[in-house]
Amino acid sequence: VVMEEADYQNWLGGRAGGDLMANSGERLFTRFGCQTCHRKDSGQRGPALDGLFGSTVQLSGGGRVPADADYIRESILNPGAKIVRGYQLLMPTYKNQLTPEQVNELVEYVKYLGGIKTTGTQ
């Protein structure tokens, strides 16, 4: 794995934090093809994730939920639980495809897309 000098020094010192997790999350995001549906320029098959974290999500069928780490984690593992208004359930579950650490890395990446300084915390 190639990383920036500062990230390497943090890793070397055992302080790999949220930014490093967000980088890993970005690689997973690409590897699993998430950008196909979740980027603004993707044809909007799924909600864009830029700026999602920390916002309020309108759900189909009514209701609202905060787009926090728990919501994002649930959306990855059980995408049919809370469907965003205006979208259909197209996303597969990643429940048996990702480790808990990988899910946390994806959550950190979604935080990063929203301009949130990641901390490595959940």
Side-chain angles (χ1 to χ4, degrees):
V1 174
V2 178
M3 61 182 72
E4 297 294 325
E5 177 67 23
D7 290 337
Y8 175 71
Q9 292 302 323
N10 284 335
W11 175 82
L12 199 60
R15 297 181 313 268
D19 290 339
L20 190 54
M21 285 182 69
N23 289 338
S24 297
E26 181 178 19
R27 286 191 294 276
L28 287 168
F29 192 82
T30 301
R31 185 172 113 201
F32 282 92
C34 304
Q35 73 282 357
T36 304
C37 296
H38 291 290
R39 291 287 195 177
K40 289 180 182 178
D41 58 357
S42 69
Q44 295 293 212
R45 287 185 274 183
L49 302 180
D50 301 68
L52 172 71
F53 191 84
S55 69
T56 299
V57 176
Q58 302 284 333
L59 302 177
S60 64
R64 298 174 179 194
V65 294
D68 57 13
D70 290 334
Y71 168 76
I72 294 166
R73 191 173 293 108
E74 180 181 39
S75 295
I76 293 167
L77 300 175
N78 185 10
K82 296 180 178 100
I83 300 172
V84 176
R85 184 173 58 187
Y87 295 94
Q88 297 177 1
L89 176 58
L90 299 174
M91 183 170 155
T93 180
Y94 289 93
K95 190 172 191 171
N96 296 318
Q97 297 181 52
L98 298 171
T99 66
E101 181 178 278
Q102 289 173 317
V103 173
N104 289 336
E105 290 168 352
L106 284 166
V107 169
E108 290 299 318
Y109 180 59
V110 173
K111 288 180 185 180
Y112 168 80
L113 289 174
I116 306 296
K117 177 71 175 158
T118 60
T119 63
T121 60
Q122 300 168 31

